[in-house]
Amino acid sequence: MDFIAQLHPTLQALLGTLFTWAMTALGAATVFLRRDPSQKLLDVMLGFAAGVMIAASYWSLLAPAIEMSEEMGFIPWLPSALGFLAGGAALRLLDLVVPHLHIGLPRSEAEGIPTDWRRSTLLVLAITLHNIPEGMAVGVAFGAVASGIPSASLAGAVALALGIGIQNFPEGMAVSMPLRRDGLRAGRSFWYGQLSGIVEPLAAVIGAALVTLSRPILPFALAFAAGAMIYVVVEEVIPESQQKGNSDLATLGVMVGFTMMMILDVALG
């Protein structure tokens, strides 16, 4: 931890999200082990990812944002409320513009601007969209530590990166396995699966750089990342985990993921 503390916040954010990307790649690599995994397993793991994201949105982002607002002399709830809604609105706008296809749906139900792009490309773009707020969340968390605000801690930022990384494992699987079932070769399925996570380091560096340059936007930025993540969870991750009839198992996955991220954040942060 001492070594990490000596690094610039943008480098800390980059290292943290290189880990989260590596976990996405590791999940995608399971495609080399089997072609057709249990749908129940995929649904439980997607539920787990949703639970981690919900818990991280509150303990690692919204709660610190409210504390920071108070410490900075703002109305405690105002930056968080505005940032949270803006984060959801930004993801909705991307949803309308970027062509993508949610996992498990036919090609005819692709969203965004109409295009003739391949199904595999649209699936990768769907996961990439919800990796943007995850990367941004990690970047903003590390940037907040450099601001010197008491409620921001390096251990908390590391806990967030760790939690996001763990839930990226099933996300990597969720991209590569359906592509393999659709007939793509294992190597190509793995390539697309890991590619969906590579946007996280870029989003993290941008997030960390923004908040280190402008300290007053910190509460807003943290809440923005939280709002974007909650939008993704409600609009995409939870529905995908329950559309195959495994709602009870998927819900159990949400509970376990939420509990694990809560423990990580409280214990380390």
Side-chain angles (χ1 to χ4, degrees), residues 15-103:
L15 291 176
T17 46
L18 284 177
F19 164 72
T20 64
W21 166 76
M23 290 297 290
T24 303
L26 189 61
T30 57
V31 78
F32 294 109
L33 302 178
R34 57 184 303 175
R35 181 190 183 103
D36 193 15
S38 163
Q39 185 62 49
K40 288 182 179 180
L41 175 62
L42 284 176
D43 290 343
V44 168
M45 296 189 80
L46 278 173
F48 177 86
V52 169
M53 292 171 74
I54 294 170
S57 295
Y58 177 72
W59 270 281
S60 297
L61 299 171
L62 277 177
I66 294 170
E67 290 178 23
M68 289 177 191
S69 296
E70 194 165 12
E71 290 163 4
M72 291 178 174
F74 300 140
I75 299 173
W77 53 265
L78 185 58
S80 298
L82 294 176
F84 186 82
L85 293 174
L91 260 292
R92 175 56 180 159
L93 181 61
L94 287 175
D95 242 3
L96 292 172
V97 174
V98 178
H100 62 284
L101 176 65
H102 296 308
I103 296 166

Side-chain angles (χ1 to χ4, degrees), residues 46-251:
L46 278 173
F48 177 86
V52 169
M53 292 171 74
I54 294 170
S57 295
Y58 177 72
W59 270 281
S60 297
L61 299 171
L62 277 177
I66 294 170
E67 290 178 23
M68 289 177 191
S69 296
E70 194 165 12
E71 290 163 4
M72 291 178 174
F74 300 140
I75 299 173
W77 53 265
L78 185 58
S80 298
L82 294 176
F84 186 82
L85 293 174
L91 260 292
R92 175 56 180 159
L93 181 61
L94 287 175
D95 242 3
L96 292 172
V97 174
V98 178
H100 62 284
L101 176 65
H102 296 308
I103 296 166
L105 297 180
R107 176 67 176 76
S108 59
E109 294 192 31
E111 300 178 16
I113 296 173
T115 178
D116 57 358
W117 291 350
R118 297 173 60 179
R119 174 183 170 84
S120 56
T121 302
L122 295 174
L123 284 171
V124 171
L125 284 173
I127 300 295
T128 300
L129 275 178
H130 84 232
N131 280 342
I132 292 173
E134 292 173 11
M136 184 188 303
V138 174
V140 171
F142 278 107
V145 177
S147 69
I149 295 176
S151 55
S153 70
L154 180 59
V158 170
L160 177 60
L162 185 60
I164 294 294
I166 291 170
Q167 65 93 35
N168 273 2
F169 182 86
E171 286 185 359
M173 286 182 63
V175 178
S176 62
M177 290 299 185
L179 293 177
R180 183 72 174 122
R181 280 202 300 260
D182 286 351
L184 264 68
R185 296 191 304 274
R188 198 164 181 80
S189 298
F190 164 75
W191 171 254
Y192 282 125
Q194 64 81 32
L195 194 63
S196 66
I198 209 164
V199 70
E200 288 189 6
L202 177 61
V205 168
I206 293 173
L210 283 175
V211 297
T212 51
L213 291 174
S214 182
R215 187 173 181 266
I217 71 167
L218 255 175
F220 180 88
L222 286 165
F224 182 95
M229 284 215 292
I230 291 296
Y231 181 91
V232 166
V233 169
V234 176
E235 196 267 344
E236 180 179 345
V237 183
I238 289 179
E240 284 173 6
S241 72
Q242 304 209 5
Q243 66 185 1
K244 299 294 184 181
N246 298 314
S247 60
D248 289 341
L249 289 173
T251 301

